[in-house]
Amino acid sequence: GTGGGGGIAPPLFPKLTSLDIGRNPKLTNDSLPNTFHTQFPRLLQLWSDDCGFGPDIPPSLLEMERLEVVRMTGNRLEGTLEGGIGIRYWKSARVLAFDGNKLSGVGK
């Protein structure tokens, strides 16, 4: 073969800046591969309203470094919102929407 094996596959959507996967209640944390974030290296906006994500934000979504707008309204998020948002994750975030979940705390 021509491939060296073990290399990182190129992203599926190298130029995509916005993705709307909302209103898919069967999409859960287990639906996303660990490499999901590598498939959209330029993604700035992610809309995932009314999906089945939870009880925590999927790790592969937190790893999407360039996100500025994240909508996760009406999912199954519970407990305290990830404390690393804006510090470790989503440092460029301008808009975050988490309404319609079962969060009990935000921040430290």
Side-chain angles (χ1 to χ4, degrees):
T2 57
I8 297 174
L12 289 175
F13 301 99
K15 296 180 182 181
L16 198 70
T17 59
S18 298
L19 177 64
D20 185 347
I21 55 174
R23 296 188 180 171
N24 287 291
K26 292 184 180 180
L27 275 181
T28 66
N29 290 28
D30 293 334
S31 302
L32 303 180
N34 292 338
T35 57
F36 185 79
H37 64 287
T38 67
Q39 304 306 310
F40 309 91
R42 295 187 179 185
L43 202 68
L44 301 176
Q45 300 183 51
L46 175 66
W47 296 288
S48 57
D49 297 347
D50 302 313
C51 291
F53 296 123
D56 301 309
I57 298 171
S60 56
L61 294 186
L62 288 172
E63 294 297 329
M64 300 183 106
E65 295 180 359
R66 298 180 69 171
L67 286 178
E68 296 178 0
V69 176
V70 180
R71 292 191 49 87
M72 297 191 77
T73 297
N75 277 270
R76 297 179 181 159
L77 301 177
E78 298 178 11
T80 300
L81 188 62
E82 169 60 54
I85 291 176
I87 300 167
R88 181 173 173 204
Y89 308 109
W90 302 343
K91 295 177 188 175
S92 299
R94 295 180 298 112
V95 176
L96 299 173
F98 296 105
D99 48 312
N101 285 283
K102 294 182 180 179
L103 295 173
S104 58
V106 177
K108 294 181 178 181

